[in-house]
Amino acid sequence: MTDYHRIAQAIAYIQANFQAQPDLEGMADQAHWSPFHFQRKFQEWAGVSPKKFLQYLSLDYAKALLRQEHSVAAAAYETGLSGAGRLHDLFVSLEAMTPGEYRQGGAALHIAYSFGESRFGRYLVASTAKGICKLTFSGDDDAAAVAELRREWPQAMLLPHAQPVHEQVARFFRHEFTAADRLHLHLKGTPFQVKVWEALLRIPEGCLTTYAGLATQAGHARAVRAAASAVGDNPVGYLIPCHRVIRQTGELGQYRWGSTRKVALIGWEAARVRGHLELETAYVK
């Protein structure tokens, strides 16, 4: 049996039995490995530990139940967890919110949104009182962009009102920010996603990294797939520059808002940085 078949067999077992919350030994038995060897191999193939994989499955199932108006206690029981406290810990750890907050879907939260034009296309920007919570390139379909915002914050009150912070975003696009300017973000994400997004913010303009490099910067060198997933879940495009990540092979790879836009972003930033270097060189002379 190949390593692939062993891991596939273990994954199928976990998916079929996650409500029984199997332990590491039980999962390792499916692959016919020791728990230590299974833990290492699973991490290599899946990008996350077996325990984390089980947690993601449990979380997805519990989220579906909460969306169906199940109580937190009932969702915990149906997911196979010992109580509401464990579901609470799972949500706080992976979703950065409580199960109750997730079920409310942002109820009582006011989100103001508006549209703007940039050199890279039309965009929707949305904000709460805490900061920018969404920036997506909308193309010619404003309604689709608003619908996407609604899916992410199903219970929030969406207000089509421009805010001063939206003008800050416009200035950011125009590169009119000064050292004293600050943009605050209001993000929903797991601790790992936040680490990946923080690592993205440290990539200088005009520079690129790979998914493997990004995973290393986020402190989990083996979690390359999870890092790629976090890049894809970036809720505020351009401000968090996920377009600066490419494949190990040098290919640009996919981009949530289209590969053509990614090429334009990378090319424009590279030319801008190169122009600055030429200016500085000319000044030194």
Side-chain angles (χ1 to χ4, degrees):
M1 183 182 293
T2 65
D3 287 358
Y4 165 76
H5 287 100
R6 290 172 188 265
I7 295 297
Q9 190 164 297
I11 287 176
Y13 171 77
I14 299 170
Q15 289 175 321
N17 296 278
F18 73 90
Q19 287 172 280
Q21 297 292 304
D23 57 20
L24 180 62
E25 287 74 14
M27 292 185 268
D29 282 347
Q30 303 303 311
H32 305 290
W33 277 324
S34 69
F36 175 80
H37 194 61
F38 174 70
Q39 172 96 1
R40 186 169 62 82
K41 283 291 187 181
F42 195 95
Q43 181 86 38
E44 289 177 1
W45 280 83
V48 295
S49 68
K51 179 181 178 182
K52 189 65 71 178
F53 182 73
L54 176 61
Q55 288 179 332
Y56 285 139
L57 289 178
S58 301
L59 180 70
D60 284 346
Y61 189 71
K63 287 164 72 174
L65 294 175
L66 292 173
R67 287 196 296 270
Q68 296 168 15
E69 302 300 324
H70 285 64
S71 68
V72 174
Y77 176 78
E78 292 292 333
T79 306
L81 302 174
S82 57
R86 282 199 60 195
L87 185 61
H88 177 278
D89 293 343
L90 188 66
F91 263 82
V92 171
S93 172
L94 299 181
E95 284 289 319
M97 66 174 71
T98 68
E101 289 172 337
Y102 176 81
R103 189 170 61 175
Q104 291 171 6
L109 186 68
H110 291 185
I111 297 178
Y113 69 90
S114 63
F115 290 88
E117 301 288 346
S118 75
R119 69 181 75 243
F120 307 111
R122 186 171 173 80
Y123 65 87
L124 175 148
V125 58
S127 61
T128 70
K130 295 180 180 178
I132 301 296
C133 63
K134 183 76 177 176
L135 196 156
T136 183
F137 289 103
S138 57
D140 298 326
D141 197 343
D142 290 358
V146 175
E148 181 181 321
L149 178 64
R150 169 59 70 197
R151 284 195 297 274
E152 295 181 7
W153 302 89
Q155 301 299 322
M157 182 177 292
L158 303 186
L159 306 169
H161 298 155
Q163 299 295 309
V165 70
H166 298 180
E167 174 53 29
Q168 279 189 285
V169 171
R171 290 176 49 229
F172 189 86
F173 269 113
R174 297 195 297 265
H175 280 264
E176 295 175 355
F177 249 44
T178 68
D181 286 322
R182 290 288 184 276
L183 265 177
H184 296 281
L185 303 179
H186 180 184
L187 307 178
K188 293 189 301 180
T190 67
F192 180 72
Q193 285 178 318
V194 173
K195 285 183 179 179
V196 170
W197 298 337
E198 288 174 343
L200 286 169
L201 288 169
R202 292 194 291 271
I203 305 173
E205 184 182 42
C207 296
L208 303 173
T209 190
T210 63
Y211 293 104
L214 186 65
T216 300
Q217 288 294 315
H220 296 271
R222 293 185 174 183
V224 178
R225 293 182 185 178
S229 179
V231 170
D233 291 334
N234 174 20
V236 286
Y238 191 69
L239 299 181
I240 295 180
C242 55
H243 57 277
R244 296 174 188 164
V245 186
I246 62 174
R247 293 177 178 169
Q248 192 81 28
T249 58
E251 297 173 89
L252 294 185
Q254 297 179 345
Y255 186 53
R256 182 173 174 181
W257 295 283
S259 56
T260 300
R261 182 174 280 113
K262 184 172 186 177
V263 171
L265 284 162
I266 292 174
W268 187 85
E269 290 185 345
R272 186 172 179 277
V273 170
R274 190 166 56 247
H276 281 181
L277 290 175
E278 289 171 353
L279 282 173
E280 289 172 4
T281 302
Y283 179 76
V284 171
K285 288 178 180 177

